[in-house]
Amino acid sequence: MKMTSVKVVAGLLFMAISAGVQAMSAEEKGLAIAVEMDQRDTGFHDMTADMVMTLRNRKGDESVRYIRIRTLEVEGDGDKSISIFDRPRDIKGTAMLTFSHGLKADDQWLYLPGLKRVKRISSKNKSGSFMGSEFAYEDLSSQEIEKYTYKWLRDEPCGELQCYVIERVPAYKYSGYTRMVSWIDQTEYRAIKVEYFDRKNSKLKTLKLSGYNQYLDKYWRPDEMYMENHQTGKSTRLEWKNYRFKTGLTDKDFNKNALKRIR
Amino acid sequence: MKLRITAFSCFLFFSAVGQAIEISGNIASELRYFPEEPVFFGASRFDRGSSLSLSFAPEIYHEWNEGERSIIFSPFLRWDESDSERTHRDIRELNMLLVQGDWEWRLGLGRVFWGVTESQHLVDVINQTDSVENIDGEDKLGQPMIQASWSQNWGVLDLFILPGFRERTYAGERGRLRAPLVVDTDNPVYESKSKDRHVDYAVRWSHTLGVWDVGLSNFYGTSRTPELRQRGYKLIPHYNLINQTGLDLQATLDEWILKLESIYRIDQQNNGNKNYAALVGGFEYTFVGAFETDADVGWLVEYHYDDRSLDATTPFQNDLFTAVRVALNDAESSELLAGAFVDLDYGGYSLRLEANRRLGDRWKLSLEYQGFNNIDPDDVLYTQRQDDYLQAELSWFF
């Protein structure tokens, strides 16, 4: 996680607490909320999880993908991760290694098991669909503070909880969105809902996150993420299973050799 | 009694590791249609028309110690209706992997890929090409190897000892896509006295520096590409000893990917008369989300050069490859590649089309078209001038 602006923001936070939140501008308040979210999610070191992704088209036809994810937290930069595809069976064994970097383009390699080939790929496709789903690569990538500018919009109830509603505008190149609006619960700083607006600023998708559990007494993770595309009528349900933290993964598990041998 | 003991030990074995043994793979049926008559006698058996072929490629994998130890076994079987040489089997992989700190060891039959370009794989020299599978040269035979891979912050160093040589496969008398004379794969000639038992060596250093991915390699041993010399009514493959140095380089910029592969090959025989250099290089430009859809449209251009010029044994002495690749990024992973090789010396061109799409969760349909047009009598491809084909393959995955 990027630490550059943290001190400044910690100062802002202190001001917020001492002077009362109302004294901050909407931008400062939005940023302070993002920083608090980030702080609460720092220090997990590494994480592994299994993902079941169910794609559903307008007619109701479903198609399922199984993906395993390993993530390594990197101090002072974006996270490193490997995604291993188990289903559909024709792409079984395909794996992707990503070194994410805040505003700079990510480094990405794809392993093609048929040819035993590791191929460096362009990470420009941030806005592209991940595995044909309603999730874009940018929706699932490491969320660094400097990747967006923030603005607090309002506070409002979200279900039984009270939420901050903040607007994020991507600061990185090649995003498919003009902005996103997120509902963040005020007690645990968990994302409850996100609305995505396309390049023409019309509402494109809504993401709902549910079934939050806390791991290691600190890290909140959802069991389900449901993304609905309002323009195409398609949807994707992402179920998370077997979250494990601090499993002992190191840098050596996130290089091209590891990508080639991983199963 | 004996049977019972065997059954019991099998039971013990599978209950011990059974849960961790993974079996996967595919069965495929392939239909090739040749609209034109074959040029050569023998192949006329099936004239114009179609030929059916079936393949089976299972993979059995077991790992332990959190993946730091593993065994893989992947045999391959093909049956071909027309060509007895294309009916063949191979062990693509049968090896054991051991990871120890920065070191990775692999022992057994394996497959290694080197390189970055799409239309030709120049530096990829470890495995023999299974050329009866497809003329794209991407199918390879399992190579006996001891591989040590050392991962450091200055890159990865791979060392290979390659005991044992695999001969290239060639279409038989009744096969298509062949020379006028059949290659006699039963009587190969080796430069090395130890013939196919010669131990080859290879080393490769590869590293990533920012946008650059670079690889430098050297191979010493029996050439995977034979010289074909006529004896009677057959072609005899001659496998010489070579030393090949290779470079592969890729720069991954936003929408541009620049690629280069180059080799220098020293042929021990003929006082260096047959030494040569070759390269393939170009770019891939991708329009992400083209035409306001989810599709990516890529434009590929690769130039091929071989300094043996018109004496080159490959068709890529002075050729230009250009193609369009479309990935729809839909639920069925639909992809299409349409390209052409143009021979800048002879003016002939060959067209290639590849398309595939998943059907449901377990099926995949692949279509392929290969056309040879206006091929000059001096071009290496001349013998295949009437071997245009259309291929449909349906695979089932388990």
Side-chain angles (χ1 to χ4, degrees):
Chain A
M1 296 282 159
K2 205 93 176 181
M3 303 299 277
T4 42
S5 51
V6 164
K7 273 182 191 162
V8 179
V9 175
L12 286 175
L13 264 180
F14 178 75
M15 281 163 55
I17 294 156
S18 50
V21 179
Q22 286 78 4
M24 296 170 87
S25 72
E27 285 77 14
E28 287 166 340
K29 192 173 170 186
L31 179 62
I33 292 163
V35 168
E36 179 62 22
M37 263 183 99
D38 187 63
Q39 287 284 62
R40 288 178 181 230
D41 205 50
T42 299
F44 65 85
H45 188 268
D46 68 81
M47 183 194 91
T48 67
D50 300 341
M51 207 163 101
V52 180
M53 203 174 212
T54 309
L55 281 53
R56 201 181 157 91
N57 67 14
R58 212 176 338 193
K59 285 183 283 176
D61 301 333
E62 289 192 346
S63 166
V64 182
R65 282 111 181 73
Y66 290 6
I67 303 149
R68 283 170 291 138
I69 301 215
R70 303 177 182 192
T71 304
L72 182 74
E73 196 178 22
V74 179
E75 289 281 330
D77 201 350
D79 299 344
K80 293 183 178 180
S81 70
I82 288 189
S83 310
I84 309 142
F85 303 105
D86 291 329
R87 296 234 181 125
R89 287 174 171 86
D90 63 307
I91 57 159
K92 181 181 156 53
T94 305
M96 192 161 66
L97 171 68
T98 306
F99 294 176
S100 50
H101 312 287
L103 289 180
K104 223 182 89 196
D106 296 347
D107 301 324
Q108 219 163 42
W109 294 265
L110 192 65
Y111 174 65
L112 304 165
L115 291 175
K116 306 278 165 199
R117 177 176 183 179
V118 171
K119 202 171 167 178
R120 175 92 172 257
I121 54 173
S122 165
S123 62
K124 199 207 154 190
N125 66 342
K126 284 177 193 295
S127 61
S129 159
F130 178 78
M131 309 270 299
S133 75
E134 296 315 305
F135 287 86
Y137 282 90
E138 59 186 314
D139 305 341
L140 295 168
S141 67
S142 171
Q143 299 292 311
E144 312 304 321
I145 290 171
E146 70 273 19
K147 284 169 93 169
Y148 308 93
T149 57
Y150 303 86
K151 189 177 167 188
W152 170 81
L153 298 178
R154 60 187 179 272
D155 291 344
E156 70 179 29
C158 46
E160 290 166 13
L161 301 164
Q162 189 68 20
C163 273
Y164 298 116
V165 184
I166 62 167
E167 183 182 82
R168 289 181 293 161
V169 174
Y172 52 89
K173 285 197 285 183
Y174 311 122
S175 174
Y177 312 122
T178 45
R179 62 192 180 101
M180 296 97 129
V181 177
S182 309
W183 279 255
I184 312 290
D185 95 77
Q186 292 183 354
T187 45
E188 301 291 351
Y189 286 79
R190 297 165 300 195
I192 304 296
K193 188 169 97 170
V194 183
E195 288 178 353
Y196 299 85
F197 294 81
D198 67 12
R199 292 189 183 115
K200 290 171 190 148
N201 201 21
S202 37
K203 193 160 124 183
L204 177 65
K205 303 187 292 191
T206 300
L207 172 67
K208 285 177 182 154
L209 304 99
S210 58
Y212 270 101
N213 286 305
Q214 197 175 23
Y215 299 86
L216 304 182
D217 291 329
K218 183 171 180 190
Y219 310 104
W220 289 95
R221 291 289 182 276
D223 282 345
E224 190 179 302
M225 290 161 73
Y226 181 74
M227 182 77 89
E228 200 182 346
N229 189 316
H230 305 293
Q231 296 180 3
T232 63
K234 292 194 239 177
S235 66
T236 299
R237 172 171 283 110
L238 219 163
E239 291 159 86
W240 291 91
K241 288 172 181 162
N242 304 322
Y243 281 115
R244 287 169 65 208
F245 292 83
K246 295 188 173 151
T247 62
L249 291 173
T250 66
D251 232 22
K252 290 188 174 67
D253 298 300
F254 296 87
N255 59 33
K256 282 194 266 179
N257 264 13
L259 179 68
K260 255 187 270 186
R261 67 170 185 257
I262 210 160
R263 289 286 167 157
Chain B
M1 186 61 192
K2 224 175 193 176
L3 188 72
R4 246 188 235 175
I5 293 170
T6 316
F8 185 65
S9 36
C10 277
F11 171 75
L12 279 185
F13 176 76
F14 282 108
S15 41
V17 294
Q19 284 186 320
I21 284 187
E22 268 182 50
I23 298 174
S24 58
N26 72 81
I27 297 172
S29 69
E30 174 205 279
L31 195 67
R32 273 186 180 175
Y33 172 69
F34 294 87
E36 290 179 81
E37 280 179 20
V39 182
F40 309 111
F41 178 75
S44 62
R45 243 296 280 255
F46 75 97
D47 280 342
R48 259 176 289 187
S50 55
S51 181
L52 179 74
S53 184
L54 303 172
S55 67
F56 178 48
E59 180 183 292
I60 298 156
Y61 175 82
H62 172 57
E63 68 170 39
W64 63 102
N65 263 19
E66 295 182 338
E68 293 200 329
R69 309 280 185 278
S70 69
I71 297 176
I72 186 165
F73 175 46
S74 41
F76 175 80
L77 296 162
R78 174 173 297 285
W79 170 83
D80 190 87
E81 181 190 8
S82 311
D83 185 359
S84 60
E85 292 290 317
R86 198 164 184 251
T87 296
H88 70 300
R89 60 183 175 216
D90 182 39
I91 297 175
R92 298 295 201 221
E93 281 184 281
L94 174 58
N95 64 59
M96 202 182 145
L97 172 82
L98 196 155
V99 184
Q100 197 99 56
D102 301 329
W103 287 88
E104 196 182 299
W105 296 83
R106 199 178 289 274
L107 188 84
L109 293 163
R111 164 83 167 107
V112 170
F113 181 90
W114 296 346
V116 293
T117 53
E118 303 299 317
S119 53
Q120 192 194 173
H121 304 301
L122 261 185
V123 303
D124 186 30
V125 75
I126 297 286
N127 292 77
Q128 179 60 275
T129 303
D130 192 359
S131 70
V132 292
E133 275 300 298
N134 197 302
I135 60 165
D136 67 4
E138 293 195 335
D139 295 281
K140 298 287 178 177
L141 299 171
Q143 168 67 43
M145 64 175 71
I146 301 168
Q147 179 188 2
S149 188
W150 192 31
S151 227
Q152 290 293 300
N153 52 17
W154 42 262
V156 176
L157 192 66
D158 284 300
L159 304 164
F160 297 86
I161 299 170
L162 309 163
F165 178 78
R166 305 294 311 276
E167 286 169 51
R168 182 164 292 197
T169 56
Y170 284 97
E173 204 182 343
R174 284 168 187 168
R176 299 289 295 251
L177 298 157
R178 67 167 175 91
L181 301 175
V182 171
V183 177
D184 185 358
T185 48
D186 296 329
N187 295 292
V189 175
Y190 293 93
E191 182 183 346
S192 164
K193 284 196 188 74
S194 33
K195 302 196 168 195
D196 62 353
R197 298 270 172 87
H198 184 265
V199 179
D200 302 344
Y201 300 95
V203 55
R204 183 171 192 257
W205 167 78
S206 57
H207 196 32
T208 298
L209 290 158
V211 299
W212 296 94
D213 281 56
V214 59
L216 263 177
S217 55
N218 197 79
F219 168 86
Y220 173 75
T222 300
S223 172
R224 272 53 180 148
T225 316
E227 259 182 76
L228 299 174
R229 295 190 200 157
Q230 188 174 351
R231 187 198 290 158
Y233 292 106
K234 286 191 165 168
L235 291 172
I236 304 295
H238 285 248
Y239 292 100
N240 296 343
L241 287 170
I242 58 156
N243 187 82
Q244 176 173 309
T245 307
L247 164 76
D248 56 270
L249 192 63
Q250 177 173 320
T252 311
L253 311 164
D254 285 344
E255 47 272 273
W256 292 93
I257 297 180
L258 309 177
K259 300 171 175 196
L260 176 73
E261 286 188 28
S262 178
I263 57 165
Y264 187 70
R265 180 177 289 194
I266 298 169
D267 202 324
Q268 309 287 49
Q269 270 190 337
N270 309 308
N271 305 317
N273 287 338
K274 291 197 170 165
N275 296 353
Y276 74 96
L279 70 80
V280 50
F283 65 83
E284 178 165 0
Y285 180 90
T286 308
F287 301 89
V288 174
F291 315 114
E292 302 205 343
T293 65
D294 280 333
D296 293 341
V297 176
W299 176 40
L300 289 85
V301 175
E302 288 179 0
Y303 171 69
H304 302 251
Y305 175 75
D306 188 315
D307 78 352
R308 291 170 296 177
S309 190
L310 305 186
D311 296 329
T313 50
T314 72
F316 305 119
Q317 84 294 351
N318 180 23
D319 292 53
L320 193 68
F321 171 77
T322 177
V324 172
R325 191 204 319 256
V326 181
L328 290 187
N329 290 320
D330 56 353
E332 293 79 24
S333 307
S334 311
E335 281 182 352
L336 173 88
L337 181 120
F341 288 89
V342 179
D343 194 306
L344 302 176
D345 288 323
Y346 299 116
Y349 58 98
S350 64
L351 300 174
R352 193 164 173 90
L353 192 94
E354 295 171 7
N356 57 70
R357 179 185 174 95
R358 187 183 309 113
L359 305 169
D361 272 345
R362 286 172 175 267
W363 297 86
K364 185 173 168 180
L365 179 67
S366 311
L367 300 174
E368 190 176 304
Y369 169 75
Q370 175 74 49
F372 300 97
N373 303 74
N374 194 27
I375 306 293
D376 189 275
D378 287 330
D379 195 327
V380 177
L381 292 175
Y382 187 66
T383 60
Q384 297 172 11
R385 66 192 177 276
Q386 281 177 217
D387 286 337
D388 295 4
Y389 68 85
L390 190 67
Q391 172 183 308
E393 186 183 54
L394 186 64
S395 315
W396 181 75
F397 294 84
F398 57 93

